Amino acid sequence: MSTAEHQEFLASVRALLTKHAGSAAVRAAMDTELGYDPALWRLLCEQIGVAALAIPEEYGGFGASLVESLLVVGELGRTLAGVPMLGSAVLGGQAVLLSGDGEACARLLPEVAEGARTIAVCWADERGWDEPGVHETGGALTGTAHYVLDGMSADTFVVVTPTGLFEVEPTAPGVTRRPAPTMDPTRKLAEVGFADAPARRLGSGDQSATIARLREIAWAALAAEQVGAADRCLEMTVDYAKSRVQFGRVIGSFQALKHRMADMYVLLESARSASVAATAAVAANSPSAAEDVWVARVHCSEALTAIAAETVQLHGGIAITWEHDAHLFFKRAHGDAQLFGAAHRPVTQPA
């Protein structure tokens, strides 16, 4: 797509989310077991085709790129809607594609593109994503994957192990799953246990490069989400500063608050630049992808954390109430800073 086409595409996504994923809708969905509105996911898939964007045409997708998929992830960051775009359509779909397993791609991806199948990537151990929580012996899996996106509702698990990627059915013997407690109520995570569970290997040979690229995609997608969330935080803060009256003046007229909001804007735009560079590098699989993604991971995490904190501060007491969305963005900021691995921790890949 050209830049103009991207803008038209984003306008369509934002219009749909504005209509169907407002604050009340997101709050209602986050209290459900699923964590998101399945009707919203159907609309996004049927009317815009968000799940099909980065899936090749031969597997029922649009054959676009990760750029378009991550634009959608960014828009979802503005609303905090918990639909399975990041966990399934991006990470799950890309994990299957990257495995190079043509049979699995032909069998799984058409339904992923339709939004009819959700794939959850099972990866982290209890300490995080530096080491897999699950190991394979003789074609069976044992261990526990922690912090699994869409883990409670997924139709298929793709499990990252030190010896490669494996496909597992959630109903297979030895597989258990339970909700994981989270700081962020808008994002559901799960713990998935495997006790000598039968599994099907995806692809062949050394998958370490595949796993490294999957991490890059995860971090680039998360950076896009963080920029979307930060953009919405600044927008809420500016709107509030224009309407809140104190000492007979709107608070946005006070110089000190203007400076703070200007600093938020500068931080947001620098994060946006880092995110755009990371997305482009990952989509093109360029030699600089690892470095660009690392920069985006660090800076976008710091930017959203700082902007969300300023959003709370500049809204005053109302921002810490349950009724206001500022605290939801604050929690998303801290959750995102740890998801897929802490930003300031050196990168290590599974052996």
Side-chain angles (χ1 to χ4, degrees):
M1 292 184 183
S2 67
T3 301
E5 289 173 325
H6 279 158
Q7 293 303 317
E8 292 179 9
F9 174 68
L10 281 176
S12 298
V13 175
R14 186 171 298 187
L16 190 151
L17 291 175
T18 299
K19 184 175 181 180
H20 299 284
S23 175
V26 170
R27 286 170 176 267
M30 74 185 190
D31 289 331
T32 65
E33 183 177 348
L34 194 59
Y36 65 89
D37 181 4
L40 171 62
W41 183 234
R42 285 196 299 272
L43 285 173
L44 285 166
C45 292
E46 293 172 1
Q47 295 189 12
I48 301 179
V50 297
L53 289 168
I55 293 177
E57 293 182 15
E58 63 183 298
Y59 300 128
F62 290 162
S65 74
L66 282 169
V67 172
E68 288 73 33
S69 290
L70 268 54
L71 287 174
V72 175
V73 171
E75 285 301 304
L76 288 168
R78 288 177 52 87
T79 69
L80 303 183
V83 295
M85 182 69 192
L86 173 60
S88 177
V90 175
L91 293 184
Q94 289 299 308
V96 175
L97 274 173
L98 290 170
S99 74
D101 191 318
E103 188 279 331
C105 289
R107 177 166 46 85
L108 300 174
L109 294 183
E111 290 185 349
V112 173
E114 293 174 3
R117 179 185 294 271
T118 302
I119 296 177
V121 177
C122 302
W123 189 337
D125 68 7
E126 188 174 11
R127 295 170 298 176
W129 284 260
D130 287 344
E131 297 290 341
V134 181
H135 292 73
E136 175 263 340
T137 304
L141 303 184
T142 299
T144 301
H146 294 261
Y147 323 116
V148 180
L149 270 70
D150 309 311
M152 292 303 297
S153 57
D155 304 298
T156 302
F157 292 138
V158 171
V159 186
V160 177
T161 77
T163 54
L165 303 179
F166 291 83
E167 175 191 349
V168 180
E169 292 300 313
T171 55
V175 178
T176 59
R177 50 184 172 182
R178 64 174 184 172
T182 61
M183 172 187 291
D184 178 5
T186 66
R187 169 162 279 155
K188 301 291 185 182
L189 301 176
E191 292 179 4
V192 182
F194 301 88
D196 203 27
R200 178 188 179 279
R201 181 179 290 274
L202 292 174
S204 60
D206 185 4
Q207 293 281 347
S208 58
T210 294
I211 295 170
R213 177 152 170 77
L214 192 61
R215 186 193 296 273
E216 291 174 0
I217 292 170
W219 280 3
L222 203 58
E225 177 182 284
Q226 290 169 320
V227 170
D231 189 48
R232 179 60 185 142
C233 284
L234 178 58
E235 187 178 89
M236 287 193 304
T237 304
V238 171
D239 288 346
Y240 181 75
K242 289 178 179 178
S243 61
R244 177 74 169 99
V245 176
Q246 189 71 32
F247 306 114
R249 295 167 54 185
V250 293
I251 62 173
S253 66
F254 294 116
Q255 192 71 18
L257 299 191
K258 288 181 180 180
H259 285 167
R260 290 174 70 173
M261 286 183 283
D263 289 342
M264 292 169 69
Y265 176 77
V266 171
L267 195 55
L268 168 62
E269 291 306 310
S270 60
R272 194 190 310 278
S273 295
S275 174
V276 168
T279 295
V282 166
N285 200 14
S286 73
S288 67
E291 181 178 355
D292 290 335
V293 167
W294 176 251
V295 170
R297 177 62 175 141
V298 172
H299 188 53
C300 292
S301 294
E302 293 177 346
L304 177 56
T305 299
I307 289 171
E310 280 290 79
T311 298
V312 172
Q313 289 288 324
L314 295 179
H315 274 81
I318 192 175
I320 62 172
T321 65
W322 179 247
E323 291 76 16
H324 201 279
D325 288 344
H327 79 96
L328 295 179
F329 283 94
F330 183 82
K331 292 175 180 177
R332 174 62 67 90
H334 286 271
D336 276 4
Q338 301 301 320
L339 194 61
F340 307 133
H344 295 287
R345 185 179 303 162
V347 180
T348 58
Q349 301 300 340

